[in-house]
Amino acid sequence: MIPQLLVVEDDDGIAVPLVRTLEREGYAVERVATGSAGLERASRGDLDLVVLDLGLPDLDGLDVCRQLRSDGFPGGILILTARGGELDRVVGLDVGADDYLGKPFALAELLARTRALLRRAHRVPPADAGEQAVPAAPADGLRVDPQARRVWVEDREVGLTSKEFDLLALLDSERGAVLTRERLMDEVWDENWFGSTKTLDVTMGRLRQKLQESAAPVQIVTVRGVGFRLEAG
């Protein structure tokens, strides 16, 4: 299946060569110039990745990203923006982006990040009524479903961003074991991540808060200087 990409970018000087490059790589690419058009296109499904500018004429790209996740968009989101500071990157990832690349950017790096995001993408087809049934919870009440990329505490679904889910799924896959910071960064943000590991701490803190607010029967324990483990709370 050919990956389906959506470029949300109002600057023709950036969008036209970017779309052309992505198409040469074999992707099916659509382009829109406004945030509202991006949200409308994403609502129709069948997208694997959204390449999202933040400086859009109608909506702030951060609001578009937040709305995509709120609407349940399951694909990858790569923010492409001139706002390149560390705090900007943290905020972008906090609202649901999977990766963040500042302008100006090298096409080779953008393509590498695109490939990495598509490798991790798990497209979830629209569920019919029968598929919406909540699966039975395990004995401890927390269920992490890697296929559907959904989490439940008892019969209540917990809303997580893409990165929060990836962290929890990885910790849950080896519950009780300590996962090093380096491994978490490599597997969740991939080896091409050039930002600070502060991003890991911020995302982990937000995940902890959501688990606590959901009364999840688990806790994320920090092993100082090493990493984190998930254990019964």
Side-chain angles (χ1 to χ4, degrees), residues 52-129:
L52 177 64
D53 180 30
L54 295 187
L56 298 168
D58 59 339
L59 299 172
D60 188 277
L62 292 175
D63 292 331
V64 175
C65 183
R66 187 181 293 109
Q67 189 63 49
L68 285 170
R69 292 309 185 199
S70 178
D71 292 343
F73 175 66
I77 299 177
L78 168 60
I79 287 179
L80 197 61
T81 178
R83 306 177 199 170
E86 180 175 353
L87 181 58
D88 294 312
R89 296 197 299 274
V90 170
V91 171
L93 296 167
D94 278 351
V95 299
D98 298 289
D99 202 353
Y100 198 104
L101 185 59
K103 298 176 182 175
F105 56 90
L107 279 174
E109 181 181 352
L110 180 137
L111 292 174
R113 290 174 182 265
T114 298
R115 289 192 293 271
L117 288 174
L118 290 173
R119 282 197 300 271
R120 294 203 302 269
H122 299 277
R123 295 176 58 187
V124 182
D128 61 29

Side-chain angles (χ1 to χ4, degrees), residues 163-174:
K163 292 301 184 189
E164 292 163 2
F165 178 86
D166 289 341
L167 282 176
L168 180 59
L170 189 54
L171 290 167
D172 185 63
S173 69
E174 299 184 32

